[in-house]
Short mmCIF file of all heavy atoms in Angstrom, two decimals:
data_model
loop_
_atom_site.label_atom_id
_atom_site.label_comp_id
_atom_site.label_asym_id
_atom_site.label_seq_id
_atom_site.Cartn_x
_atom_site.Cartn_y
_atom_site.Cartn_z
N ASN A 165 86.57 66.11 89.20
CA ASN A 165 87.12 65.01 89.95
C ASN A 165 88.40 65.34 90.71
O ASN A 165 88.73 64.64 91.65
CB ASN A 165 87.43 63.78 89.07
CG ASN A 165 86.12 63.21 88.50
OD1 ASN A 165 85.32 62.63 89.26
ND2 ASN A 165 85.86 63.31 87.24
N ASP A 166 89.06 66.43 90.33
CA ASP A 166 90.19 66.86 91.02
C ASP A 166 89.93 67.92 92.20
O ASP A 166 90.88 68.30 92.82
CB ASP A 166 91.22 67.51 90.03
CG ASP A 166 91.69 66.50 88.98
OD1 ASP A 166 91.62 65.28 89.25
OD2 ASP A 166 92.11 66.98 87.92
N LEU A 167 88.73 68.39 92.16
CA LEU A 167 88.47 69.57 93.01
C LEU A 167 88.76 69.39 94.49
O LEU A 167 89.49 70.19 95.01
CB LEU A 167 86.96 69.97 92.69
CG LEU A 167 86.52 71.27 93.57
CD1 LEU A 167 87.38 72.44 93.22
CD2 LEU A 167 85.07 71.55 93.21
N ALA A 168 88.20 68.37 95.05
CA ALA A 168 88.35 68.09 96.49
C ALA A 168 89.89 68.02 96.82
O ALA A 168 90.37 68.67 97.71
CB ALA A 168 87.62 66.95 96.98
N ALA A 169 90.63 67.16 96.11
CA ALA A 169 92.03 66.96 96.42
C ALA A 169 92.80 68.32 96.14
O ALA A 169 93.76 68.53 96.95
CB ALA A 169 92.62 65.94 95.53
N THR A 170 92.41 69.04 95.15
CA THR A 170 93.12 70.37 94.95
C THR A 170 92.95 71.34 96.19
O THR A 170 93.86 71.98 96.56
CB THR A 170 92.56 71.04 93.62
OG1 THR A 170 92.73 70.08 92.58
CG2 THR A 170 93.34 72.32 93.33
N ILE A 171 91.73 71.30 96.73
CA ILE A 171 91.42 72.20 97.74
C ILE A 171 92.29 71.83 98.97
O ILE A 171 92.88 72.57 99.69
CB ILE A 171 89.94 72.22 98.17
CG1 ILE A 171 89.15 72.91 97.04
CG2 ILE A 171 89.59 72.91 99.46
CD1 ILE A 171 87.61 72.79 97.16
N LYS A 172 92.35 70.46 99.13
CA LYS A 172 93.15 69.91 100.26
C LYS A 172 94.55 70.38 100.09
O LYS A 172 95.27 70.89 101.07
CB LYS A 172 93.04 68.39 100.29
CG LYS A 172 93.93 67.71 101.22
CD LYS A 172 93.36 67.65 102.69
CE LYS A 172 94.29 67.02 103.62
NZ LYS A 172 93.71 67.21 104.94
N LYS A 173 95.15 70.23 98.86
CA LYS A 173 96.49 70.64 98.57
C LYS A 173 96.73 72.13 98.81
O LYS A 173 97.71 72.53 99.38
CB LYS A 173 96.89 70.37 97.11
CG LYS A 173 97.11 68.91 96.84
CD LYS A 173 97.55 68.74 95.39
CE LYS A 173 97.52 67.31 94.86
NZ LYS A 173 97.66 67.17 93.47
N ALA A 174 95.72 72.93 98.47
CA ALA A 174 95.87 74.40 98.53
C ALA A 174 96.04 74.76 100.01
O ALA A 174 96.91 75.51 100.40
CB ALA A 174 94.62 75.09 97.93
N TYR A 175 95.21 74.23 100.91
CA TYR A 175 95.26 74.56 102.29
C TYR A 175 96.64 73.98 102.91
O TYR A 175 97.27 74.65 103.75
CB TYR A 175 94.08 74.02 103.12
CG TYR A 175 92.89 74.94 102.97
CD1 TYR A 175 91.93 74.68 101.97
CD2 TYR A 175 92.73 75.96 103.86
CE1 TYR A 175 90.84 75.64 101.78
CE2 TYR A 175 91.70 76.88 103.63
CZ TYR A 175 90.77 76.65 102.66
OH TYR A 175 89.73 77.58 102.52
N TYR A 176 96.92 72.89 102.47
CA TYR A 176 98.23 72.26 102.95
C TYR A 176 99.41 73.10 102.66
O TYR A 176 100.29 73.40 103.43
CB TYR A 176 98.31 70.84 102.40
CG TYR A 176 99.66 70.05 102.86
CD1 TYR A 176 99.70 69.72 104.18
CD2 TYR A 176 100.69 69.87 101.92
CE1 TYR A 176 100.87 69.07 104.61
CE2 TYR A 176 101.81 69.18 102.40
CZ TYR A 176 101.90 68.85 103.66
OH TYR A 176 103.04 68.19 104.16
N ILE A 177 99.47 73.49 101.32
CA ILE A 177 100.63 74.40 100.93
C ILE A 177 100.60 75.67 101.59
O ILE A 177 101.65 76.23 101.96
CB ILE A 177 100.62 74.46 99.35
CG1 ILE A 177 100.88 73.10 98.71
CG2 ILE A 177 101.58 75.48 98.91
CD1 ILE A 177 100.72 73.00 97.18
N ALA A 178 99.47 76.27 101.70
CA ALA A 178 99.37 77.63 102.28
C ALA A 178 99.87 77.63 103.72
O ALA A 178 100.54 78.49 104.16
CB ALA A 178 97.96 78.13 102.28
N ARG A 179 99.53 76.56 104.47
CA ARG A 179 99.77 76.53 105.92
C ARG A 179 101.18 76.03 106.34
O ARG A 179 101.73 76.47 107.33
CB ARG A 179 98.64 75.60 106.51
CG ARG A 179 98.90 75.01 107.76
CD ARG A 179 97.63 74.28 108.24
NE ARG A 179 97.59 72.84 107.73
CZ ARG A 179 96.63 72.32 107.01
NH1 ARG A 179 95.57 73.08 106.74
NH2 ARG A 179 96.68 71.17 106.67
N THR A 180 101.76 75.15 105.52
CA THR A 180 102.97 74.49 105.98
C THR A 180 104.20 75.21 105.43
O THR A 180 104.20 76.09 104.58
CB THR A 180 103.01 73.07 105.45
OG1 THR A 180 102.83 73.12 104.03
CG2 THR A 180 101.95 72.23 106.07
N GLY A 181 105.43 74.82 105.97
CA GLY A 181 106.66 75.40 105.54
C GLY A 181 106.75 76.85 105.72
O GLY A 181 106.22 77.32 106.78
N ARG A 182 107.18 77.62 104.83
CA ARG A 182 107.02 79.07 104.90
C ARG A 182 105.66 79.39 104.30
O ARG A 182 105.36 79.19 103.07
CB ARG A 182 108.10 79.83 104.05
CG ARG A 182 107.89 81.18 104.10
CD ARG A 182 109.02 82.00 103.31
NE ARG A 182 108.93 83.39 103.38
CZ ARG A 182 109.76 84.31 102.93
NH1 ARG A 182 110.84 83.86 102.32
NH2 ARG A 182 109.63 85.58 103.13
N PRO A 183 104.68 79.83 105.11
CA PRO A 183 103.35 80.02 104.72
C PRO A 183 103.22 81.01 103.57
O PRO A 183 104.13 81.88 103.42
CB PRO A 183 102.55 80.49 105.92
CG PRO A 183 103.51 80.20 107.09
CD PRO A 183 104.93 80.21 106.50
N GLY A 184 102.11 81.02 102.90
CA GLY A 184 101.92 81.98 101.82
C GLY A 184 100.59 81.81 101.12
O GLY A 184 99.80 80.82 101.41
#
Side-chain angles (χ1 to χ4, degrees):
Chain A
N165 290 294
D166 299 336
L167 180 56
T170 304
I171 293 174
K172 176 84 188 173
K173 284 183 193 169
Y175 279 90
Y176 179 70
I177 291 171
R179 155 173 90 234
T180 51
R182 179 178 184 172

